[in-house]
Amino acid sequence: METQEIYKSFSSNKSLNELLYKMKAEALRLNDLKFELQFYITLLYKPIFKTRTANLYEILARYKYDIGILQERRVKLQSHVNEYINQINNKIENEITTFDDYFINNYDDLEHEIFNFHVKVSDFKFGFFEYIQNVSLN
């Protein structure tokens, strides 16, 4: 039986600068993932696969579709992260140091959404790499 990861937020005791740093790090991580996903698509179009692989084209098409879904989700998340960075910057510029419940709940939701996305990306990578290793030419 697989242990299920439970998300826990720790934002309630963080400063605005810590939240800003974390969101900027996530924005960078999501931006880097853009290039990684583009590389996977490029790899799928290269003639590196064994020709006698069962359902090769169907499985490659599924991976292309999955990468497209991940890319769409990444773009939406990156947009949300950038919006949140702007909100934090506004609070810092206006010297607002208190957190209202709405701000904290939005941050927690976004952080949870990012966590779940990275879990999906990790699951995808594991399956993708395992498949590519099995069907690529030696």
Side-chain angles (χ1 to χ4, degrees):
M1 180 181 265
E2 189 174 314
T3 304
Q4 186 170 2
E5 285 286 327
I6 298 174
Y7 170 78
K8 288 187 176 183
S9 175
F10 299 102
S11 63
S12 60
N13 58 359
K14 290 183 180 178
S15 70
L16 281 173
N17 287 326
E18 288 173 302
L19 294 177
L20 181 62
Y21 175 81
K22 184 160 176 56
M23 285 293 106
K24 284 184 175 182
E26 283 302 334
L28 182 63
R29 191 173 172 192
L30 290 168
N31 191 52
D32 289 347
L33 185 60
K34 169 185 170 183
F35 300 108
E36 192 174 332
L37 293 173
Q38 287 173 347
F39 171 74
Y40 298 154
I41 287 288
T42 301
L43 188 64
L44 290 173
Y45 283 103
K46 298 290 180 186
I48 61 169
F49 304 105
K50 297 175 186 171
T51 55
R52 296 184 188 256
T53 303
N55 300 325
L56 176 67
Y57 296 106
E58 292 84 358
I59 293 171
L60 294 180
R62 191 192 85 227
Y63 279 123
K64 291 173 191 173
Y65 174 79
D66 291 347
I67 291 169
I69 296 296
L70 289 173
Q71 194 70 286
E72 287 176 18
R73 190 71 202 119
R74 183 201 62 78
V75 169
K76 287 179 186 174
L77 268 176
Q78 192 155 24
S79 174
H80 291 310
V81 166
N82 289 336
E83 288 173 19
Y84 209 80
I85 288 171
N86 289 336
Q87 288 178 12
I88 294 171
N89 280 329
N90 287 339
K91 282 185 171 287
I92 291 171
E93 287 173 9
N94 294 323
E95 298 180 5
I96 301 171
T97 58
T98 59
F99 298 110
D100 55 19
D101 287 339
Y102 180 76
F103 185 81
I104 291 172
N105 290 338
N106 280 348
Y107 179 83
D108 290 344
D109 291 346
L110 179 58
E111 202 172 49
H112 187 236
E113 196 174 347
I114 291 168
F115 175 81
N116 287 337
F117 176 72
H118 287 303
V119 168
K120 286 181 182 181
V121 169
S122 293
D123 290 345
F124 168 81
K125 285 180 184 181
F126 177 77
F128 181 72
F129 294 154
E130 187 175 58
Y131 184 76
I132 294 297
Q133 283 179 333
N134 289 326
V135 298
S136 61
L137 298 170
N138 293 331

